[in-house]
Amino acid sequence: MRSDISLVTVPQGEQQRRVRRKEINRQQLLLRPVEVEKLVDLDHPVRAIWELVGRLNLEPFYVEVESVEGVAGRPVWDPRLLISLWLYAYKDGVSSAREIARLCEYHPAYQWLTGLEVVNYHTLADFRIRHKEALDQLFIGVLGVLSHEGLITLQRVMHDGTKVKAWASDKSFHRKATLQDHLRLAREQVEQMGDPESEELSQRVAKARQRALREKQQRLVEALRELEQIEASRSKASEKEKARASSTDPEARIMLQAKGAYGPAYNVQISTDAQSKIIVGVGVTQASTDAAELEPAVERIEANMGDGPEQMVVDAGLTNQATMEAMTEKQVDLIGALPERRGIAVDRLKQRGVSSEFYPQVFEYDESADCYRCPVGKVLGYETQERQGATLRRRYRAKASDCRVCEFQLQCCPGTRRGRSLVRSEATPEIVAFQAKMETSEAQAIYKQRAGVAEFPNAWIKDKIGLRQFRLRGLAKVTLESLWACLTYNICQWIRLCWKPRRLAQA
Ligand code: SF4
């Protein structure tokens, strides 16, 4: 009997049967021929990525390479390979260098790329963060290809911001006193560190511990520096006291995220050309709102494309006076929604104990004198004004001497020694013109396209690439991570819209 067959006795009625069973042999050694070229089909996307990267100028990636002819040392991995590996991995939702190294051992697409070699994860991790300028140039190079294919026109660009969780946890955010305590402790630990050469532990472990402690100390120093910036951005002393910074990712900020939850995040700004939903600009900011992000977004598009957009379409979070002025100066047509007008702040008046008979609507505005008259005929003169979002808020105030002796003071302005004040919200001429434009059916039809275009890449990057949380820390590194993700997104659109149809036509 053959050695890979065994017999098993099973009862059948009053008799027994001897069944022949095939055995699994896991002790054997096999040598299999592998035809690397046939590991993936001809229309496999990994071929498209390799082809496109090969068409781009990769010279900037070679600048820092030290392995050159005539100098001792091992040759380096081809940047074309490392770029292709990262792009293909991101496309598959893999953003870990260790995971890519593992995939190189058995996954046909990765094996095809590397020619069955395995790339060390340190090499992959270093490559992802080392070439900021070269990666910017690569992004621009891909935009050039997409533009040449007719996928970008810049006639209409939709812009949106999306919050991506930082690697830091909520618990890593501390106030100044706690950060200072942690820093003191870390410094003491660093000072007490012995010589790694004399450690009982292996030198490698001792050096790793030293490095970790120094990095911790450095991050705490940075956290205190960031805390100063956060405090400086707050006007009220009580808010400054509450300021916190992360001890593990000092540049992350607490932001309002999806579903109304607050947490450590960065704000990723993405500009998408409406023609074929190609990303033409990406940036990352620490700002918790998008209010000031449109002008930098347009400048990024200009830098990437060598030309600016004709029209920008944005949501209410980006429509404000400053944005309108900036777009007018750049001769960019702005389409967007205005923030909803707030009604009279009745709740606040109630809280202050103001009686409903003295709410703002009973005060009469005199346009010729630009003042209000209160129910007893006293004048509330113009005091000051400020811009808030899309409106100009003008404050008027009665004389303290009038209110102090007024029989209605307790109902009208309780608890204040100054005279009664009220705020008149006015739309500026730019806002009035913008409102008129947005009332046209043409502008409304354009605005309706916004969500479908602007939110598509955001959702794609989060769902397909899995960029719901950054793997890296610090503004510079998360910007690189966003750039890799957007580059992958654009290449996937090129594969879908250009490369695949051409392959099908050739087949
Ligand atoms: S408290 Fe001042 S503002 Fe109010 S009704 Fe009297 S005088 Fe007018």
Side-chain angles (χ1 to χ4, degrees):
M1 188 182 300
R2 280 166 52 188
S3 61
D4 61 342
I5 295 175
S6 63
L7 293 172
V8 59
T9 306
V10 291
Q12 188 175 39
E14 292 180 356
Q15 295 182 342
Q16 288 192 326
R17 294 177 69 228
R18 303 254 290 163
V19 176
R20 291 193 304 143
R21 187 175 61 183
K22 189 165 174 55
E23 287 291 306
I24 296 166
N25 179 6
R26 294 200 174 93
Q27 307 306 316
Q28 60 188 321
L29 288 173
L30 290 176
L31 279 175
R32 278 188 181 156
V34 177
E35 198 173 346
V36 178
E37 191 52 50
K38 291 199 173 164
L39 281 170
V40 293
D41 293 337
L42 287 174
D43 63 348
H44 197 285
V46 76
R47 290 181 185 271
I49 290 172
W50 179 252
E51 180 192 315
L52 181 61
V53 175
R55 282 163 59 183
L56 301 168
N57 175 19
L58 304 183
E59 279 177 17
F61 288 93
Y62 287 93
V63 172
E64 291 176 30
V65 172
E66 289 167 0
S67 177
V68 290
E69 192 178 21
V71 176
R74 288 192 300 179
V76 294
W77 288 105
D78 184 352
R80 182 182 178 186
L81 170 66
L82 299 177
I83 294 165
S84 301
L85 275 172
W86 270 115
L87 292 174
Y88 186 73
Y90 270 116
K91 182 199 158 298
D92 266 7
V94 176
S95 57
S96 153
R98 284 179 194 267
E99 183 61 20
I100 297 173
R102 262 195 298 274
L103 286 162
C104 287
E105 292 174 5
Y106 64 86
H107 194 292
Y110 293 82
Q111 287 182 320
W112 181 86
L113 271 177
T114 62
L116 297 181
E117 301 248 18
V118 174
V119 183
N120 179 285
Y121 80 87
H122 279 302
T123 306
L124 287 160
D126 283 353
F127 186 82
R128 175 164 59 168
I129 58 167
R130 271 190 73 178
H131 304 279
K132 165 79 175 92
E133 282 172 23
L135 196 65
D136 282 337
Q137 291 306 311
L138 192 73
F139 187 78
I140 292 170
V142 170
L143 288 180
V145 172
L146 299 176
S147 195
H148 185 69
E149 299 270 14
L151 300 182
I152 302 173
T153 63
L154 291 186
Q155 284 173 356
R156 182 170 297 148
V157 175
M158 314 276 186
H159 183 84
D160 198 15
T162 183
K163 309 284 169 48
V164 177
K165 281 184 190 169
W167 188 247
S169 74
D170 283 346
K171 287 179 184 166
S172 71
F173 278 74
H174 304 288
R175 292 189 187 175
K176 190 183 237 169
T178 311
L179 286 172
Q180 284 169 335
D181 282 349
H182 286 189
L183 180 59
R184 183 178 42 75
L185 210 62
R187 280 184 174 141
E188 283 171 11
Q189 286 172 333
V190 169
E191 278 166 20
Q192 287 163 11
M193 278 187 315
D195 178 4
E197 310 285 328
S198 61
E199 289 271 354
E200 286 179 16
L201 297 162
S202 79
Q203 284 187 22
R204 196 160 150 257
V205 173
K207 281 182 181 170
R209 282 188 181 173
Q210 277 199 351
R211 194 169 54 245
L213 269 175
R214 288 210 173 91
E215 284 172 1
K216 183 180 172 186
Q217 183 184 331
Q218 182 58 31
R219 275 201 297 274
L220 286 163
V221 170
E222 283 168 20
L224 282 162
R225 209 164 37 224
E226 289 292 322
L227 195 68
E228 280 176 19
Q229 284 186 24
I230 297 169
E231 285 174 348
S233 68
R234 297 184 177 181
S235 50
K236 292 182 184 168
S238 57
E239 286 179 355
K240 284 181 195 283
E241 279 173 22
K242 287 184 197 162
R244 295 182 301 149
S246 169
S247 57
T248 54
D249 186 355
E251 291 180 312
R253 295 286 186 271
I254 298 286
M255 294 181 190
L256 180 62
Q257 297 172 37
K259 297 179 185 166
Y262 282 88
Y266 288 92
N267 189 349
V268 180
Q269 298 289 315
I270 294 178
S271 309
T272 311
D273 188 278
Q275 166 82 8
S276 302
K277 297 182 183 172
I278 300 295
I279 296 175
V280 288
V282 56
V284 182
T285 165
Q286 294 166 294
S288 56
T289 71
D290 298 337
E293 299 306 324
L294 192 58
E295 194 177 359
V298 171
E299 284 165 2
R300 276 193 297 271
I301 297 169
E302 289 168 347
N304 290 343
M305 302 297 301
D307 201 1
E310 290 175 26
Q311 185 179 68
M312 290 296 288
V313 185
V314 297
D315 67 10
L318 288 121
T319 319
N320 53 56
Q321 182 71 28
T323 297
M324 286 176 199
E325 286 173 7
M327 293 304 108
T328 304
E329 197 172 314
K330 286 184 173 292
Q331 298 184 332
V332 175
D333 182 27
L334 181 65
I335 297 286
L338 279 170
E340 277 181 28
R341 280 188 162 192
R342 288 182 201 149
I344 299 161
V346 173
D347 285 351
R348 260 185 282 156
L349 292 172
K350 270 187 192 165
Q351 278 171 8
R352 282 190 216 145
V354 177
S355 169
S356 60
E357 295 87 60
F358 292 89
Y359 281 1
Q361 58 267 37
V362 300
F363 288 67
E364 211 173 289
Y365 181 61
D366 181 344
E367 197 169 353
S368 59
D370 188 24
C371 69
Y372 277 89
R373 287 194 184 275
C374 74
V376 299
K378 298 295 179 190
V379 171
L380 282 78
Y382 167 74
E383 185 184 63
T384 181
Q385 69 177 32
E386 61 171 6
R387 284 208 170 119
Q388 192 178 71
T391 52
L392 186 67
R393 287 165 55 84
R394 290 171 64 82
R395 184 175 292 277
Y396 297 80
R397 193 179 292 278
K399 286 182 185 164
S401 54
D402 286 340
C403 295
R404 208 176 300 131
V405 295
C406 175
E407 60 180 309
F408 299 113
Q409 199 219 2
L410 278 178
Q411 294 99 309
C412 181
C413 49
T416 175
R417 287 189 197 158
R418 304 175 73 192
R420 167 69 192 263
S421 73
L422 57 82
V423 171
R424 177 184 175 82
S425 296
E426 283 180 5
T428 59
E430 290 87 353
I431 300 283
V432 172
F434 185 76
Q435 278 171 327
K437 178 169 71 175
M438 287 312 299
E439 275 165 19
T440 64
S441 55
E442 188 193 353
Q444 285 174 10
I446 294 169
Y447 186 70
K448 274 187 190 159
Q449 301 167 11
R450 191 204 70 83
V453 175
E455 290 168 18
F456 177 76
N458 293 354
W460 201 95
I461 284 165
K462 286 185 176 178
D463 291 342
K464 302 235 175 188
I465 292 183
L467 193 68
R468 293 186 176 279
Q469 182 171 26
F470 287 113
R471 277 192 166 270
L472 305 173
R473 291 182 287 197
L475 187 59
K477 288 183 184 174
V478 300
T479 302
L480 277 167
E481 218 178 333
S482 305
L483 200 54
W484 277 108
C486 292
L487 189 56
T488 308
Y489 166 88
N490 277 351
I491 291 175
C492 287
Q493 302 315 308
W494 173 78
I495 294 173
R496 181 174 66 85
L497 297 168
C498 303
W499 191 81
K500 279 251 176 189
R502 275 203 283 271
R503 281 274 154 175
L504 282 173
Q506 285 165 7

